């Protein structure tokens, strides 16, 4: 059965990004608003069961708020603030969309 999961790692600090807010949208409609736990993950899949559907999605990672709260030295304005990741779901499989984050860069990939 398909599901969507994510997690965030703070590569500058070498640890999970705990307390980072993430919003999930499908076709412009907000479906979820969650916060990462101490492991940088959310407590349950973002989508599963009947909610898991093919389509275009967007995860918005509120990185600027997290980075400021983590005590890192940041410029004003922040280089990174909200990070939108747009992706498509086309199969009934597990989609894992992690974010590797620092104050000046990020990367993502489709994990397993």
């Amino acid at each position: 059965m398909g599901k969507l999961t994510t997690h965030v790692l703070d590569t500058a600090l070498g640890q999970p990004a705990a307390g980072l807010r993430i919003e999930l949208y499908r076709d412009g409609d907000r479906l979820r608003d969650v916060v990462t736990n101490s492991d940088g993950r959310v407590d349950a899949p973002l989508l599963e069961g009947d909610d898991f559907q093919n389509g275009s999605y967007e995860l918005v990672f509120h990185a600027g708020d997290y980075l400021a709260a983590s005590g890192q030295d940041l410029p004003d304005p922040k280089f990174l603030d909200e990070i939108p990741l747009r992706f498509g779901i086309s199969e009934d499989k597990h989609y894992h969309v992690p974010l590797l984050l620092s104050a000046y860069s990020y990367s993502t990939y489709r994990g397993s």
Side-chain angles (χ1 to χ4, degrees):
M1 299 297 279
K3 65 180 176 179
L4 172 64
T5 59
T6 188
H7 77 275
V8 184
L9 298 174
D10 185 326
T11 58
L13 298 179
Q15 64 188 28
L20 191 144
R21 181 175 167 227
I22 304 168
E23 294 174 285
L24 172 66
Y25 293 86
R26 179 176 49 226
D27 299 325
D29 295 325
R30 189 169 74 175
L31 302 177
R32 303 278 186 276
D33 192 333
V34 297
V35 176
T36 58
N37 60 26
S38 62
D39 196 32
R41 300 176 184 274
V42 296
D43 292 330
L46 294 166
L47 294 173
E48 65 182 335
D50 292 340
D51 291 333
F52 187 85
Q53 302 171 15
N54 288 358
S56 297
Y57 291 85
E58 179 178 46
L59 286 168
V60 179
F61 296 87
H62 291 263
D65 293 341
Y66 160 79
L67 292 166
S70 70
Q72 298 181 51
D73 186 25
L74 303 173
D76 185 19
K78 299 173 197 83
F79 181 71
L80 294 175
D81 194 11
E82 293 181 2
I83 300 172
L85 294 180
R86 294 184 181 112
F87 59 96
I89 290 178
S90 60
E91 301 175 281
D92 189 23
K93 294 185 175 182
H94 182 187
Y95 283 72
H96 183 66
V97 183
L99 184 73
L100 306 176
L101 173 68
S102 77
Y104 295 97
S105 70
Y106 67 90
S107 64
T108 189
Y109 56 93
R110 181 178 172 190
S112 56

